[in-house]
Amino acid sequence: MARELHDSVIQTLYSTVLLASGWRMMAEQGRLNPASTAAHFQQVAEQSEQALKEMRLMLFQLRPPVLEQVGLVNALQQRLDAVEQRVSIETSLVTSGEWIELPYRVEENYIILPKRL
C-alpha cells in the first residue's frame, strides 16, 4: 500500500506542489505571463483531481462494500466466481463447521481482494 501511495498519489501531489511553487516564484519576480495563469490553475486542478481519484480508489479497495453487504464467505465466493469467469478456471470455496456472523471489523481483516486480475 505504501508503494502504491508513493507511486501514484504522493508523486502527483509532489508534482503539483513543485509547479505551484515555481509559478508563485515566477509571479513574484514578474516573469509569469498573466495570459497563461488560467492554464496553470487548470493544470493544478487536473493533477489534484487525479490524486483524489487515486486516493478514493485505494480507500475503496481497503474497504470493499461487498464485504459489508454480504459478509465474508459470500464476498469470497463472489470473488472466486469472478475469477472463474475472467480466466476460465474452476474454483471452489470449501467451508466446514457452523459459520457464525463475525463483526464487520473482524471480517474486513480477513478478505483479500486483488486490485486486478
Side-chain angles (χ1 to χ4, degrees):
M1 179 60 96
R3 183 175 297 139
E4 285 186 39
L5 280 169
H6 179 269
D7 292 346
S8 62
V9 178
I10 291 175
Q11 290 296 321
T12 302
L13 291 173
Y14 183 67
S15 174
T16 303
V17 168
L18 288 176
L19 287 172
S21 295
W23 293 328
R24 179 187 48 82
M25 286 190 307
M26 288 174 67
E28 289 172 350
Q29 297 168 359
R31 296 181 10 223
L32 189 63
N33 180 353
S36 64
T37 303
H40 294 316
F41 279 117
Q42 181 63 34
Q43 189 173 359
V44 168
E46 287 171 3
Q47 286 184 314
S48 299
E49 190 174 311
Q50 181 62 33
L52 281 171
K53 286 179 185 177
E54 291 171 3
M55 188 59 104
R56 284 186 184 123
L57 178 61
M58 287 182 195
L59 291 172
F60 177 80
Q61 290 169 344
L62 285 174
R63 190 177 183 140
V66 69
L67 184 59
E68 195 167 354
Q69 294 165 355
V70 299
L72 178 61
V73 174
N74 290 325
L76 289 171
Q77 186 61 58
Q78 285 181 12
R79 175 50 71 188
L80 288 175
D81 292 345
V83 168
E84 284 183 352
Q85 289 179 340
R86 285 192 184 123
V87 293
S88 299
I89 62 170
E90 190 174 318
T91 66
S92 63
L93 176 63
V94 179
T95 61
S96 64
E98 185 178 329
W99 277 94
I100 59 169
E101 196 167 314
L102 297 172
Y104 177 74
R105 292 265 185 217
V106 174
E107 287 186 342
E108 76 179 347
N109 288 313
Y110 289 96
I111 193 162
I112 299 172
L113 294 175
K115 209 165 83 166
R116 293 177 190 88
L117 292 176

